[in-house]
Amino acid sequence: MEVCYTTTDLITDLQQVRSKHSSIGLVPTMGALHEGHFALIRESKRDNEFTVCSIYVNPTQFNDRDDFNKYPKSLEKDLKILDSLSCDIVFCPSDEEMYPVKPRVGFTLGTVGDIMEGKYRPGHFNGVLLAVSKLLNKVQPDIAYFGQKDLQQYMLIRYLAEDLSFPVKIKRVETVREESGLAFSSRNRRLSGKALREASNLYKGLLKGKEKLSNEVPFTEVKPLIENYLCNFASIKLEYLELVETDNFQVVNDVESDREYALCIAAYVDDIRLIDNVIFEVDR
Ligand code: AMP
């Protein structure tokens, strides 16, 4: 496994790879790797002859300084794991490599950028799309992999690639969960015993909601049920709960048959902000 710290090294290495006509998969991450990330790497290994993983804690996507400063880092351990997963190249750029100049352009996002994460984390998606654009341009992968856990992010990256004609396929990979049901997240490392135990109720709440919605209970009734359920746990403070159609990411209140929906949640567990979602279809 090669570790590249500069774009020049990365491009030199990839030139050789491309001359052998290999297909290249890219897995962008912010490090502190866990089973969710491993699933993306494995998917890329299955689909491609060559896999690049990037590790970069992107400052422009953090709207909260404290969250950025406290973001977990474990580069040495991450590199060992990536080696054991037979990742081919790890790209670990510095801030100077990623942002040699402060960006002078940005993204105007449509309605999908205004809801949920876009509403509660102003500027977040602009930062995500800047960093992802840079990574896609540097690596020029055939397929790039993103987790369902960050569903709105996946959707906006798909729109980015389609609208700006990036020659890449954007692939969604299912959320990987701990035994308790809690979605793996680098931020889980910051949860203490009780908060960690209570955090799995976000997923349990989502499952209760999914069951009701599948049985034709309108979201206007389901939402307070989940809110009440989550009130039982002292460390959980709900930020939003939304139902969206996954095809176009429009917020809806009712479900129709043969369409895919996602019930999405963001909540603070103690002072750690977590997001999750469940995707489902209604067959009648
Ligand atoms: P991050 O390092 O948090 O920026 O995540 C890097 C990628 O891993 C993103 O595409 C995430 O959506 C994905 N990811 C994070 N957690 C999970 C999970 N539990 N299951 C699947 N993918 C995940």
Side-chain angles (χ1 to χ4, degrees):
M1 185 179 78
E2 202 73 41
V3 184
C4 299
Y5 295 93
T6 66
T7 307
T8 314
D9 283 353
L10 176 76
I11 288 173
T12 310
D13 279 9
L14 285 175
Q15 258 160 6
Q16 288 167 18
V17 175
R18 255 183 279 276
S19 67
K20 292 182 204 142
H21 305 290
S22 307
S23 69
I24 298 173
L26 169 66
V27 179
T29 80
M30 297 204 297
L33 302 182
H34 51 66
E35 289 292 339
H37 298 116
F38 306 163
L40 304 191
I41 299 282
R42 290 196 188 101
E43 187 89 1
S44 173
K45 293 284 300 175
R46 266 193 294 275
D47 292 344
N48 303 283
E49 288 167 48
F50 204 89
T51 291
V52 180
C53 175
S54 62
I55 297 180
Y56 179 62
V57 184
N58 173 35
T60 63
Q61 73 185 68
F62 285 82
N63 55 321
D64 177 346
R65 263 279 127 195
D66 194 46
D67 188 28
F68 175 66
N69 290 333
K70 289 185 177 157
Y71 199 83
K73 291 175 192 70
S74 54
L75 184 60
E76 222 174 287
K77 190 170 158 222
D78 290 351
L79 293 178
K80 280 197 188 122
I81 297 170
L82 289 171
D83 195 23
S84 73
L85 292 171
S86 306
C87 179
D88 297 290
I89 291 183
V90 189
F91 181 46
C92 309
S94 62
D95 288 337
E96 292 69 33
E97 278 291 326
M98 283 294 274
Y99 294 100
V101 289
K102 196 167 174 248
R104 290 146 293 192
V105 296
F107 295 91
T108 307
L109 307 169
T111 52
V112 178
D114 290 337
I115 58 169
M116 302 196 319
E117 294 303 285
K119 179 171 164 191
Y120 287 93
R121 301 185 69 188
H124 167 64
F125 284 128
N126 187 62
V128 169
L129 296 190
L130 279 170
V132 169
S133 302
K134 285 167 181 279
L135 291 169
L136 290 175
N137 281 328
K138 287 170 197 283
V139 177
Q140 299 187 16
D142 297 278
I143 312 178
Y145 296 82
F146 297 89
Q148 178 205 315
K149 187 177 83 68
D150 301 277
L151 190 64
Q152 193 177 9
Q153 165 177 283
Y154 156 79
M155 199 66 187
L156 285 166
I157 290 167
R158 247 188 57 197
Y159 287 166
L160 169 83
E162 283 170 21
D163 291 359
L164 300 186
S165 306
F166 280 86
V168 63
K169 181 178 167 194
I170 305 297
K171 194 164 175 185
R172 184 176 93 188
V173 178
E174 233 175 81
T175 303
V176 183
R177 300 181 179 282
E178 298 190 16
E179 233 170 83
S180 66
L182 174 66
F184 277 103
S185 164
S186 305
R187 288 186 176 87
N188 293 354
R189 292 188 190 189
R190 295 178 52 209
L191 292 169
S192 66
K194 186 179 173 216
L196 187 60
R197 277 194 303 281
E198 292 200 346
S200 62
N201 291 295
L202 300 184
Y203 180 56
K204 292 185 182 123
L206 290 177
L207 289 181
K208 286 177 197 297
K210 172 180 152 176
E211 196 205 323
K212 294 276 179 205
L213 290 163
S214 305
N215 286 311
E216 301 186 43
V217 182
F219 185 54
T220 46
E221 284 175 38
V222 173
K223 194 172 176 175
L225 288 179
I226 303 174
E227 286 168 349
N228 285 340
Y229 172 72
L230 294 175
C231 277
N232 293 314
F233 308 102
S235 35
I236 297 180
K237 195 168 140 261
L238 182 66
E239 188 162 71
Y240 67 72
L241 185 63
E242 296 283 8
L243 179 65
V244 295
E245 201 176 325
T246 56
D247 195 35
N248 53 17
F249 235 81
Q250 296 305 303
V251 172
V252 293
N253 271 323
D254 293 300
V255 295
E256 290 173 26
S257 37
D258 300 324
R259 296 211 179 150
E260 193 186 66
Y261 296 93
L263 184 56
C264 305
I265 196 168
Y268 283 89
V269 182
D270 276 353
D271 58 343
I272 314 300
R273 191 176 181 279
L274 300 178
I275 60 171
D276 199 357
N277 65 75
V278 287
I279 292 182
F280 60 98
E281 265 185 51
V282 186
D283 318 306
R284 288 191 188 122

